[in-house]
């Protein structure tokens, strides 16, 4: 796919186009924050990390400029949730002629995330997996890297306060999501997921004490078993997480820092996305 093909689609749609190739981490966020008010439409092309930066810049700008997304990463969970085409030319067509959709955005302390904030098992896989492997194998690369960690899963004791109550337990994994799929796998966040309902989908997996409990968790995640008291699932619009130690987080597949405590909130309808008509 050549940039000229995408530009031709946009120019044909009546847009005067300017292009900015990102130069470093954080560049997309900075440029969008400074210049969003000058444009009628912003389109980003890249993986989840590029999308995350662009959205962060838009939120910071305070402008309600529509955002088009041309997915070019290895897994693109959020793009799949929006039914965006994997074909770049078709995605560009959606960007200029699709339907505007008000989507929720996650708040993570003073940062934002588009579709997932997570800690624990596998969460460092996405930013430690080599890009060459991601490009060739897609989400299978995450599994190959993650499999190396199964023998030494982490365990974090924490108190979690949310709009529905309080939980205190030991966890090996947790995710707060606004997506129909995670790591390329659909259904992990449940069957009743809306990207504009003002609520997160939360999954917390307790630390197993033996092989039987670990197998029980795997059975639930692979849909061989409907539920288990080893896994908490619920919806909420806000959370306050207080662990006994600093925990590394990932935000939309990128390193989100080590946090001793963190507040998460759902910014209802904070982002206007250009999507296919059938995805609205």
């Amino acid at each position: 796919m050549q940039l000229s093909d995408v530009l031709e689609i946009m120019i044909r749609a009546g847009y005067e186009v300017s292009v900015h190739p990102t130069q470093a981490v954080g560049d997309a966020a900075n440029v969008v924050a400074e210049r969003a008010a000058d444009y009628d439409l912003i389109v980003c092309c890249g993986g989840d990390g590029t999308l995350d930066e662009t959205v962060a810049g838009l939120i910071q700008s305070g402008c309600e400029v529509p955002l088009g997304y041309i997915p070019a990463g290895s897994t693109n969970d959020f793009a799949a949730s929006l039914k965006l085409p994997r074909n770049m030319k078709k995605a560009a067509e959606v960007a200029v002629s699709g339907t505007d959709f008000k989507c929720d955005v996650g708040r993570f302390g003073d940062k934002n995330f588009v579709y997932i904030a997570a800690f624990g098992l596998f969460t460092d896989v996405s930013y430690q997996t080599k890009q060459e492997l991601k490009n060739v194998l897609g989400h299978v690369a995450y599994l190959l890297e993650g499999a190396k960690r199964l023998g030494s899963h982490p365990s974090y004791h924490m108190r979690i306060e949310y709009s529905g109550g309080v939980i205190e337990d030991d966890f090996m994994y947790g995710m707060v999501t606004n997506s129909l799929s995670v790591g390329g796998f659909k259904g992990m966040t449940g069957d009743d997921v809306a990207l504009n309902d003002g609520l997160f989908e939360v999954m917390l997996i307790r630390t197993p004490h033996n092989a039987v409990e670990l197998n029980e968790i795997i059975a639930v995640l692979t849909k061989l078993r409907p539920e288990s008291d080893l896994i908490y699932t619920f919806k909420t619009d806000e959370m306050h997480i207080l662990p006994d130690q600093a925990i590394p987080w990932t935000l939309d597949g990128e390193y989100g820092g080590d946090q001793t405590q963190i507040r998460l909130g759902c910014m209802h309808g904070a982002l206007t996305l250009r999507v296919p008509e059938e995805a609205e």
Side-chain angles (χ1 to χ4, degrees):
M1 165 60 63
Q2 298 294 317
L3 176 61
S4 59
D5 295 327
V6 172
L7 296 181
E8 183 179 353
I9 289 169
M10 295 177 178
I11 292 169
R12 224 186 268 158
Y15 288 97
E16 182 178 338
V17 183
S18 62
V19 179
H20 179 84
T22 56
Q23 303 299 304
V25 174
D27 188 35
N30 293 333
V31 169
V32 173
E34 293 171 2
R35 301 173 59 187
D38 299 331
Y39 292 85
D40 298 312
L41 173 68
I42 294 171
V43 180
C44 74
C45 178
D48 292 335
T50 304
L51 175 65
D52 183 81
E53 281 199 21
T54 305
V55 171
L58 263 175
I59 298 295
Q60 185 179 340
S61 75
C63 300
E64 294 189 12
V65 182
L67 174 65
Y69 180 36
I70 301 175
S74 53
T75 303
N76 299 308
D77 286 308
F78 197 62
S81 297
L82 296 167
K83 300 182 180 178
L84 288 173
R86 291 300 300 264
N87 178 279
M88 288 188 177
K89 288 181 69 173
K90 291 180 179 178
E93 293 282 4
V94 171
V96 297
S97 61
T99 301
D100 284 350
F101 173 72
K102 289 281 192 178
C103 181
D104 299 338
V105 175
R107 187 179 67 252
F108 184 86
D110 60 356
K111 300 177 182 179
N112 300 307
F113 64 94
V114 179
Y115 76 97
I116 186 170
F119 69 84
L121 187 68
F122 296 163
T123 53
D124 63 342
V125 170
S126 59
Y127 53 82
Q128 290 191 2
T129 304
K130 292 182 178 179
Q131 188 61 49
E132 295 84 356
L133 190 58
K134 291 182 187 179
N135 292 341
V136 173
L137 298 177
H139 71 260
V140 175
Y142 299 106
L143 293 180
L144 291 174
E145 287 293 318
K148 300 175 184 177
R149 295 159 171 78
L150 274 174
S152 56
H153 55 72
S155 181
Y156 303 108
H157 184 84
M158 62 182 67
R159 175 184 171 91
I160 298 171
E161 301 169 352
Y162 67 106
S163 53
V166 176
I167 297 172
E168 186 165 356
D169 215 326
D170 297 320
F171 299 101
M172 73 171 184
Y173 177 79
M175 66 179 181
V176 182
T177 69
N178 190 40
S179 177
L180 301 180
S181 67
V182 176
F185 297 99
K186 294 182 179 179
M188 285 189 70
T189 55
D191 300 322
D192 180 25
V193 177
L195 307 186
N196 61 349
D197 61 358
L199 298 171
F200 295 128
E201 282 68 43
V202 181
M203 173 186 286
L204 301 166
I205 302 179
R206 291 171 54 195
T207 304
H209 295 102
N210 51 55
V212 173
E213 290 188 348
L214 179 59
N215 287 335
E216 182 177 325
I217 290 169
I218 293 172
V220 173
L221 296 179
T222 55
K223 304 297 184 183
L224 295 176
R225 176 174 174 153
E227 60 184 21
S228 166
D229 60 6
L230 295 169
I231 300 178
Y232 296 91
T233 57
F234 55 89
K235 295 176 182 284
T236 187
D237 60 347
E238 60 181 1
M239 296 177 68
H240 187 197
I241 299 179
L242 301 99
D244 286 354
Q245 64 189 90
I247 296 178
W249 285 77
T250 178
L251 304 178
D252 297 331
E254 303 296 325
Y255 180 55
D258 291 3
Q259 308 292 337
T260 53
Q261 63 172 294
I262 195 72
R263 290 187 182 274
L264 293 90
C266 185
M267 303 166 64
H268 188 199
L271 176 66
T272 302
L273 281 163
R274 196 62 63 81
V275 301
E277 196 169 321
E278 63 270 20
E280 187 182 13

